[in-house]
Amino acid sequence: MLQTPTATDPAILSVKDLHVGFDMRQGMLNVLHGVGFELHRNRTTAIVGESGSGKSVSARAILNMVPRPGIISGGQILFRPKADEETILTSLDPRGKEIRKIRGGRIGMIFQEPMSSLSPVHTIGNQIVEAIRLHRKVANKEARVIAREILEQVEIPRAERALDQYAFEFSGGMRQRAMIAMALSCHPDVLIADEPTTALDVTTQAEILDLMGRLQRELRMAIMFITHDMGVVAEIADDVVVMEKGHVVERGETHALFSRQSHPYTEKLLGAVKRLDQPADAKVGPEPDAPDILSVVDLKLHFHKRAGFLQRITETTKAVDGVCFNLRMGEALGIVGESGSGKTTVGRCVARVYEPTDGSISYRGADLVAAEKEELKRYRKQIRMIFQDPFASLNPRMTVKQIIAEPMIAYGDAKTQDLEERVASLLSEVGLDPGMMERYPHAFSGGQRQRIVVARAIALEPKLVIADEPTSALDVSIRTQVLDLLLRLQAEMGLSFIFISHDMAVIRYFCDRVAVMYQGKIVEIGETEQIITDPQHPYTKALLSSVPISDPSQRGTRQRHRYVENA
Amino acid sequence: MIWRYILKRVFWMVPFLFAVSIVAFLLIQAPPGDFLTTYMAKLGESNEVLDQATIDNLRQRFGLDQPIYVQYFKWISRLIVGDFGMSFEWRQPVSDLVWERMGLTLCLSFATLLFTWAVAFPIGVYSAVRKYSIGDYIATTIGFIGIATPNFLLALILMYIGVVYFGSDVGGLFSPEFKNAAWSWAKVWDLMKHLWLPVVVLGTSATASLIRIMRANLLDELNKPYVDTARAKGLSEFWLIMKYPVRVALNPFISTIGWVLPNLVSGAVVTAIVLSLPTAGPLMLQALLSQDMFLAGAFVLLLSSLTVVGMLISDILLVLLDPRVKYD
């Protein structure tokens, strides 16, 4: 960002004509077909593409740790940290000493899932000290001091204490900081970051991106930043490499690439992002005189932590703390907020998965909180949920037909004979081939699975659908497809939606109104466009300022601010 | 914190053991009749008949004429001060009969546990890391045979092999010359020489199932992202597998302490009889058959206590090993 290295500046790492294949029983399955790109000191190269494009495999190939049964079947990766030092990484023994010296020592790597990427049973300190002692000749005590310093460098509060804590005691953002600290503990020349912010909130993402930029300048690193988010690319990348199905389809300098995309795939990726910058054309909205389908008054859910012999309440977490809103028939209300804001809990209270501590939820005039067994069952038929992770929310041991038919059987809604017919029509309704109903979920892609989840949700012809982050596990281009499907269903079936998301763009595309939640309370509620263009509450402003802008020419024009509530 | 947890758990053992003692006592009383009816039937077989007066006299002396709860309270109140009562059949204090057998049982169980771990751990790890290799297939096959073969059959086969091909003295835990000798180093060595056979027999099926458990658990862990993180640090393949996924997959190993002890004692009765082991199993069976209630009661109670202690040890180890396990 500071310097302006040119093409004459020799690449610190160059990937040339890289081929990677998976040696399967059916023969060689090639996943990379002649991939080539370069990394330069002080520059961030973004590798962009959707899932399955080969981004992560390329990153692992650099460290010569392609997961089995994958093998590097052709090409070369050249590592040149200094003018007179050159190693061909691809020619090293993947278990040998030389490559192990480079892994972690010269080339560091951070991964997407900060929770599962750190060992659950070792302290943070233990893991960082280990990384330091693998590559630097220092005593245990000294390594601990270095580890503490590096934790301070990544702005982890109370670093000394953090060393003795476990990953699960940290929040997602803190874990990712610890991960970065570990990767940078030996001052590598190259940092490979595999979707490091995808699992984080926008506000946390913005902080991590700032941190990485600062550390890059301090350590003069080359960063390879793998992402599927064009907004992030526009914010931080100097160069962009676009990958599709194992090919590099386009590469170039960020500004140039954003102003003139030549390849249709790049255009598609950018188009998907740009479409999300505005409300959907197909948005129906409620009738002007539509009655309320749901009205929530002063909803509270407090979790108590009990301790001691008498099980006294020592700590109360106010997950939801006095939330009021109403939802009109045919309306889509977005609930936005970061993790821990209570947005998911609100959704689950409405579905009566959780028992609210206090408050009332009235659904078409009936009190949902007081509803018992039979009555509740009747309401649950009309209020359905869609979950975030289509990989986890479908039982892998059930066929698609069984999955979709299950609610209908549970509610005695269909005779066995016409079950198949109903499932078939539901599948075609959500844009899937009814011929696939005997297959198991693993045979489907993420987008297709989410369609199955949608089919299951609408099987009972509900009136209200609670969608909890239904698109955040999906690729951008598929995101709009699923949203368009939901919009169509909304228009056809007159559905009302509670749409929970942390993604402002998705909310803007889909929702008529939005409620912004922070620490269990709604801080602002109103028409979506109005809130986005003219936010009133400082938290909403902070949230909006963290959303990456998918236009590199606007980089640095916006002041990011952080919202800290001073109670 | 951990001490509080241990104290709390130990404290809770008391009411639990009390409940166990009630159940044990009721179980022993459940079959019709008592020791005397069994005793008389036995005498009747050899045409000896006791007159009613003697029987009543005996019954009174043993306290068998009293209601069951009185019998229980007599038993339990003496138990608390460490008196297990007299064995009717052996005409000896129960404690004299029980302790040596329990000691040997414990010794055998512990040896078997060590054997199980020592064999199952490396093979399980190997099987997972080299999934679908020839070694994995061999381990899997042997594992399934191990699970499927009844212990007593294995005991007979090994005894046959031992006697016919190696001419070794099998059966029992001691050679005849040591059987009644006082404890000495020579006796300990003799015990070691005899121990391997029951250890192998008793440990095989547990080993086989542990191999399977270890393999399955480790396979789940091997593909976790934190393994990749460790690899990307530059750790060698051997150490990274040992330090991270194996450590996480170790939990079921620790849990085995809990179930291996009771399993060995109760499940091994047949094997112990085949191998004529001087362990608790056969004597307990005998005591149950003859309704020798104090002896049987002592065994049942001690075995239950062992199980509870085993569970406690494994729970404490789990807490120490896995920070995610909460203990409050």
Side-chain angles (χ1 to χ4, degrees):
Chain A
M1 273 183 238
L2 295 174
Q3 292 87 351
T4 46
T6 50
T8 50
D9 187 27
I12 188 166
L13 191 112
S14 37
V15 176
K16 291 174 187 161
D17 194 32
L18 183 69
H19 289 259
V20 168
F22 280 82
D23 197 359
M24 310 293 268
R25 221 174 293 172
Q26 302 92 322
M28 195 65 116
L29 176 75
N30 287 311
V31 293
L32 291 188
H33 318 267
V35 166
F37 57 85
E38 289 179 344
L39 305 179
H40 296 267
R41 253 189 210 287
N42 280 324
R43 283 180 84 81
T44 300
T45 306
I47 313 283
V48 193
E50 299 190 271
S51 43
S53 59
K55 301 168 299 197
S56 294
V57 174
S58 311
R60 282 171 170 75
I62 291 176
L63 290 179
N64 210 333
M65 44 183 262
V66 179
R68 258 188 306 212
I71 41 168
I72 298 173
S73 49
Q76 222 184 29
I77 299 174
L78 214 67
F79 179 52
R80 251 187 104 180
K82 290 188 201 118
D84 54 347
E85 193 189 334
E86 201 174 85
T87 322
I88 302 169
L89 297 179
T90 34
S91 67
L92 299 177
D93 172 14
R95 293 168 154 245
K97 266 210 172 103
E98 291 106 74
I99 188 71
R100 295 212 317 261
K101 266 202 177 122
I102 290 173
R103 285 181 196 158
R106 317 297 299 269
I107 304 179
M109 187 158 178
I110 45 184
F111 298 88
Q112 174 172 0
E113 279 292 331
M115 178 72 226
S116 44
S117 300
L118 288 166
S119 162
V121 294
H122 296 89
T123 59
I124 301 285
N126 179 316
Q127 294 176 71
I128 299 178
V129 165
E130 176 187 66
I132 294 169
R133 296 198 65 198
L134 273 170
H135 301 286
R136 296 205 217 167
K137 282 205 169 63
V138 289
N140 212 350
K141 238 184 183 162
E142 226 173 303
R144 206 181 141 92
V145 175
I146 300 173
R148 201 194 65 220
E149 283 165 7
I150 195 126
L151 282 185
E152 279 161 2
Q153 211 174 352
V154 297
E155 294 158 21
I156 288 185
R158 281 169 306 202
E160 183 66 39
R161 225 188 98 205
L163 283 175
D164 295 317
Q165 284 181 304
Y166 293 93
F168 61 83
E169 296 174 88
F170 282 15
S171 69
M174 283 300 146
R175 278 181 214 139
Q176 200 58 295
R177 281 168 195 272
M179 194 71 204
I180 292 174
M182 195 158 82
L184 297 185
S185 57
C186 298
H187 302 312
D189 302 299
V190 177
L191 178 68
I192 302 172
D194 189 353
E195 307 246 13
T197 57
T198 307
L200 306 175
D201 286 319
V202 268
T203 40
T204 320
Q205 163 169 300
E207 286 169 26
I208 295 283
L209 292 180
D210 287 347
L211 174 73
M212 286 178 70
R214 204 195 81 213
L215 293 169
Q216 177 178 34
R217 286 192 295 277
E218 280 172 21
L219 300 170
R220 298 187 62 245
M221 286 183 299
I223 292 185
M224 171 175 168
F225 196 103
I226 298 171
T227 183
H228 65 273
D229 187 340
M230 277 301 198
V232 172
V233 174
E235 288 267 328
I236 61 153
D238 301 298
D239 303 291
V240 183
V241 176
V242 183
M243 286 186 71
E244 185 193 17
K245 291 178 186 152
H247 297 273
V248 170
V249 294
E250 193 161 12
R251 50 190 267 210
E253 208 268 307
T254 311
H255 289 270
L257 192 104
F258 270 75
S259 50
R260 52 123 200 93
Q261 325 94 35
S262 49
H263 195 274
Y265 182 69
T266 316
E267 227 167 286
K268 188 182 137 199
L269 277 181
L270 276 169
V273 176
K274 293 220 167 106
R275 271 188 69 198
L276 283 175
D277 274 350
Q278 57 210 0
D281 306 325
K283 212 141 115 173
V284 273
E287 303 278 321
D289 54 345
D292 281 353
I293 184 170
L294 188 79
S295 106
V296 172
V297 180
D298 204 23
L299 186 70
K300 281 182 188 160
L301 180 61
H302 297 177
F303 292 107
H304 300 304
K305 190 180 167 190
R306 290 167 193 275
F309 185 68
L310 295 168
Q311 294 292 293
R312 268 182 308 237
I313 299 165
T314 52
E315 230 181 286
T316 302
T317 311
K318 296 177 178 173
V320 178
D321 194 21
V323 161
C324 304
F325 65 86
N326 62 329
L327 177 72
R328 291 160 69 199
M329 199 86 90
E331 189 185 33
L333 172 75
I335 301 182
V336 74
E338 52 192 278
S339 47
S341 61
K343 54 187 192 311
T344 295
T345 318
V346 168
R348 297 201 170 168
C349 282
V350 172
R352 275 289 300 274
V353 179
Y354 293 155
E355 292 295 324
T357 314
D358 197 15
S360 78
I361 304 169
S362 107
Y363 169 78
R364 304 171 98 186
D367 186 5
L368 269 191
V369 179
E372 296 285 344
K373 288 173 189 151
E374 278 308 305
E375 205 187 354
L376 188 61
K377 199 174 168 184
R378 211 168 63 235
Y379 293 131
R380 280 201 174 134
K381 200 179 147 186
Q382 298 173 17
I383 304 174
R384 308 298 297 171
M385 285 195 83
I386 297 175
F387 299 95
Q388 172 174 4
D389 188 347
F391 292 86
S393 60
L394 293 173
N395 186 338
R397 305 233 193 300
M398 283 165 82
T399 63
V400 169
K401 185 175 123 188
Q402 288 169 325
I403 287 170
I404 297 177
E406 197 181 30
M408 296 194 265
I409 297 168
Y411 284 91
D413 223 37
K415 301 242 161 22
T416 331
Q417 303 91 278
D418 39 68
L419 262 184
E420 195 148 324
E421 225 168 275
R422 290 272 302 271
V423 172
S425 77
L426 280 166
L427 279 174
S428 35
E429 181 78 3
V430 297
L432 289 173
D433 176 11
M436 301 197 286
M437 68 167 83
E438 296 296 344
R439 295 205 199 164
Y440 289 90
H442 68 80
F444 296 86
S445 70
Q448 287 174 319
R449 284 172 194 232
Q450 202 57 305
R451 285 168 191 271
I452 296 169
V453 175
V454 171
R456 176 174 61 183
I458 61 167
L460 295 171
E461 293 170 4
K463 299 275 182 284
L464 169 64
V465 173
I466 301 163
D468 191 353
E469 304 260 11
T471 58
S472 30
L474 305 176
D475 280 326
V476 204
S477 61
I478 295 162
R479 244 173 237 187
T480 40
Q481 288 174 19
V482 170
L483 290 174
D484 287 341
L485 167 70
L486 292 177
L487 282 169
R488 205 190 76 220
L489 293 173
Q490 185 186 18
E492 283 174 13
M493 304 172 65
L495 291 174
S496 311
F497 275 96
I498 293 180
F499 193 97
I500 299 158
S501 180
H502 68 276
D503 188 344
M504 264 301 182
V506 170
I507 295 260
R508 184 176 205 176
Y509 189 78
F510 189 80
C511 299
D512 307 307
R513 280 193 308 143
V514 62
V516 183
M517 278 193 77
Y518 182 71
Q519 294 191 347
K521 294 190 175 89
I522 291 182
V523 295
E524 195 165 2
I525 184 165
E527 300 292 322
T528 313
E529 278 311 298
Q530 196 189 337
I531 290 212
I532 284 175
T533 48
D534 184 22
Q536 296 301 315
H537 194 274
Y539 175 70
T540 319
K541 286 179 188 163
L543 190 67
L544 285 167
S545 78
S546 310
V547 178
I549 315 169
S550 54
D551 182 355
S553 60
Q554 286 189 32
R555 188 187 289 174
T557 57
R558 190 173 54 186
Q559 187 66 42
R560 238 180 236 145
H561 37 96
R562 212 160 153 178
Y563 176 69
V564 188
E565 194 182 52
N566 26 12
Chain B
M1 210 54 180
I2 181 82
W3 290 112
R4 255 193 65 189
Y5 170 73
I6 294 173
L7 259 168
K8 204 163 106 185
R9 287 291 305 267
V10 171
F11 172 76
W12 277 108
M13 276 170 65
V14 176
F16 185 75
L17 282 175
F18 182 68
V20 165
S21 75
I22 293 177
V23 175
F25 197 79
L26 287 178
L27 269 180
I28 293 158
Q29 296 284 343
D34 53 29
F35 172 71
L36 280 179
T37 39
T38 327
Y39 182 60
M40 284 184 307
K42 216 189 237 163
L43 288 181
E45 278 169 25
S46 47
N47 290 324
E48 288 180 55
V49 184
L50 290 176
D51 60 88
Q52 196 58 41
T54 327
I55 293 169
D56 288 344
N57 192 2
L58 277 173
R59 188 157 270 154
Q60 207 176 1
R61 222 176 76 203
F62 290 156
L64 292 174
D65 55 341
Q66 280 156 327
I68 186 161
Y69 59 89
V70 177
Q71 292 189 41
Y72 171 76
F73 276 111
K74 266 192 173 163
W75 179 60
I76 197 76
S77 51
R78 263 184 289 164
L79 232 165
I80 289 170
V81 294
D83 179 9
F84 284 91
M86 291 284 280
S87 160
F88 304 141
E89 196 177 17
W90 297 76
R91 307 279 156 94
Q92 275 184 50
V94 166
S95 28
D96 292 359
L97 288 165
V98 163
W99 288 123
E100 174 150 343
R101 294 217 165 212
M102 284 308 288
L104 285 172
T105 304
L106 213 61
C107 166
L108 181 63
S109 305
F110 196 63
T112 310
L113 194 65
L114 287 184
F115 166 79
T116 310
W117 281 354
V119 177
F121 178 75
I123 296 180
V125 172
Y126 175 88
S127 250
V129 176
R130 298 257 176 281
K131 190 171 90 162
Y132 300 143
S133 67
I134 293 179
D136 177 30
Y137 282 125
I138 292 174
T140 305
T141 312
I142 294 178
F144 280 133
I145 293 175
I147 296 175
T149 316
N151 280 348
F152 70 90
L153 187 67
L154 193 66
L156 289 175
I157 295 170
L158 285 182
M159 278 165 87
Y160 179 80
I161 293 174
V163 171
V164 173
Y165 295 96
F166 298 102
S168 58
D169 166 44
V170 294
L173 283 177
F174 300 103
S175 311
E177 63 266 32
F178 286 110
K179 203 161 243 166
N180 294 314
W183 281 99
S184 64
W185 285 112
K187 186 169 177 176
V188 172
W189 175 240
D190 186 60
L191 175 66
M192 290 298 146
K193 277 197 294 190
H194 283 81
L195 207 56
W196 70 271
L197 183 70
V199 162
V200 171
V201 170
L202 292 172
T204 301
S205 71
T207 308
S209 49
L210 260 189
I211 290 176
R212 303 302 301 165
I213 293 172
M214 186 72 200
R215 181 178 183 271
N217 274 307
L218 192 54
L219 279 179
D220 279 348
E221 295 299 325
L222 279 178
N223 294 317
K224 291 274 172 75
Y226 66 81
V227 182
D228 254 358
T229 309
R231 197 170 283 133
K233 271 189 209 172
L235 212 57
S236 78
E237 201 67 15
F238 178 79
W239 283 114
L240 81 88
I241 286 175
M242 283 303 160
K243 181 171 175 187
Y244 294 102
V246 167
R247 168 81 190 270
V248 177
L250 214 56
N251 288 4
F253 254 75
I254 304 303
S255 311
T256 47
I257 303 178
W259 55 262
V260 125
L261 280 178
N263 211 25
L264 280 174
V265 180
S266 59
V269 175
V270 181
T271 315
I273 291 171
V274 170
L275 289 171
S276 54
L277 301 177
T279 53
L283 188 62
M284 178 171 78
L285 183 69
Q286 176 58 34
L288 286 172
L289 285 176
S290 62
Q291 300 207 14
D292 189 351
M293 99 185 170
F294 292 142
L295 186 56
F299 271 126
V300 172
L301 204 60
L302 282 174
L303 290 179
S304 313
S305 319
L306 267 188
T307 313
V308 176
V309 171
M311 289 288 180
L312 177 68
I313 294 174
S314 74
D315 282 358
I316 291 171
L317 283 178
L318 267 186
V319 167
L320 289 178
L321 201 72
D322 192 337
R324 290 169 302 177
V325 178
K326 291 226 178 93
Y327 46 77
D328 51 20

